[in-house]
Amino acid sequence: MSPAEAWARFKIKKELTLTNGPDIYESFANHYNTAGTIEHGLGDHNYYDLTLAWESHLEADMQAFSLTVPEGTTVLKALEKIAEQRKERLTTCGNYLLVTAATRSPMKNDKRKKYDHAAEFDRLMFTFIASSIIIREPEGGLDDFLNAKLQQTWELSHPSSPCPYRVKSSDAAQKSMSNANLLGIWSYGELFEVLAYLSDLRWQINGTTIQIDK
């Protein structure tokens, strides 16, 4: 069962009211990640962290409304209801959910450069970051954050060894990424893929440098 399949089955245990604004998706995620709020038949653990990416959408954020999600609504249906009310599109992508403006073109496979590098790099890109992360409208410092995560992951299999791969994004790319928001448990490849898509950028591996640019 993929995470997206699980979110289509997990249900909210009690009625939930959300107020629209820039934080509505993060507010829903906080509810989801609170013990005892989701019916999933897996004890006290939600099993799959809610892994979600969305672009900042000022027109949607400024709509004034509150949304009531009835008890028994699945997690996926609840998010679809939020996106629909905000005139956005929710797409299920297996390991994560993606929310964009309804007018944005769907994500295409060629937004991510196919891995054509050392097997070691391929394994790293398919590795999931060990803990849940939150990236909200980053303005600088994202390279340092991602490089620190890469180092932590690398040390799990290469103790006390520096990670040979480093993220390097241009100044223009960092400005473009300021509309991207991600939370949850991400693989590195999917994280770079979604960051690039939401920011109209491309990413590629050049030697040992992971480049993010126009």
Side-chain angles (χ1 to χ4, degrees):
M1 181 169 60
S2 71
E5 290 170 335
W7 299 323
R9 293 173 57 181
F10 295 172
K11 295 180 180 180
I12 296 170
K13 282 187 175 181
K14 60 181 181 180
E15 183 177 278
L16 174 65
T17 299
L18 296 166
T19 301
N20 187 50
D23 299 326
I24 190 168
Y25 290 112
E26 188 173 353
S27 296
F28 181 83
N30 289 338
H31 176 82
Y32 174 89
N33 290 324
T34 301
T37 60
I38 302 296
E39 180 60 54
H40 43 63
L42 299 170
D44 293 331
H45 182 49
N46 281 348
Y47 192 65
Y48 291 112
D49 282 55
L50 184 60
T51 301
L52 178 69
W54 72 99
E55 61 180 331
S56 296
H57 187 194
L58 182 60
E59 183 179 342
D61 292 342
M62 292 180 67
Q63 296 179 45
F65 67 84
S66 292
L67 185 69
T68 298
V69 182
E71 176 186 351
T73 304
T74 66
V75 171
L76 188 59
K77 285 293 184 184
L79 286 166
E80 287 175 345
K81 189 173 182 180
I82 296 169
E84 180 181 9
Q85 186 74 31
R86 287 167 53 90
K87 297 181 173 59
E88 296 173 322
R89 179 174 57 236
L90 176 71
T91 304
T92 59
C93 302
N95 292 321
Y96 63 92
L97 301 172
L98 176 65
V99 179
T100 61
T103 54
R104 176 181 275 277
S105 299
M107 185 164 62
K108 298 179 181 178
N109 292 334
D110 64 0
K111 276 292 181 183
R112 185 184 76 182
K113 181 177 176 64
K114 291 184 178 179
Y115 308 141
D116 185 18
H117 204 66
E120 191 173 61
F121 176 76
D122 286 3
R123 285 194 296 270
L124 184 60
M125 289 300 99
F126 285 110
T127 300
F128 284 83
I129 299 172
S131 58
S132 183
I133 63 170
I134 297 178
I135 298 173
R136 290 295 313 273
E137 299 184 349
E139 294 185 4
L142 186 57
D143 286 5
D144 291 340
F145 173 80
L146 294 174
N147 285 326
K149 291 297 180 184
L150 283 168
Q151 179 61 36
Q152 291 172 9
T153 300
W154 187 260
E155 286 182 349
L156 295 175
S157 54
H158 303 78
S160 303
S161 174
C163 179
Y165 300 103
R166 305 288 291 174
V167 177
K168 176 65 176 175
S169 54
S170 67
D171 291 343
Q174 291 188 37
K175 282 187 177 181
S176 294
M177 285 189 283
S178 64
N179 285 329
N181 305 276
L182 298 89
L183 56 81
I185 301 291
W186 289 85
S187 71
Y188 288 100
E190 288 176 332
L191 185 149
F192 292 133
E193 175 184 73
V194 171
L195 272 178
Y197 167 71
L198 291 178
S199 310
D200 295 316
L201 300 170
R202 292 187 180 276
W203 75 276
Q204 63 180 353
I205 180 69
N206 184 4
T208 57
T209 302
I210 301 167
Q211 295 179 329
I212 305 176
D213 210 338
K214 292 285 188 180

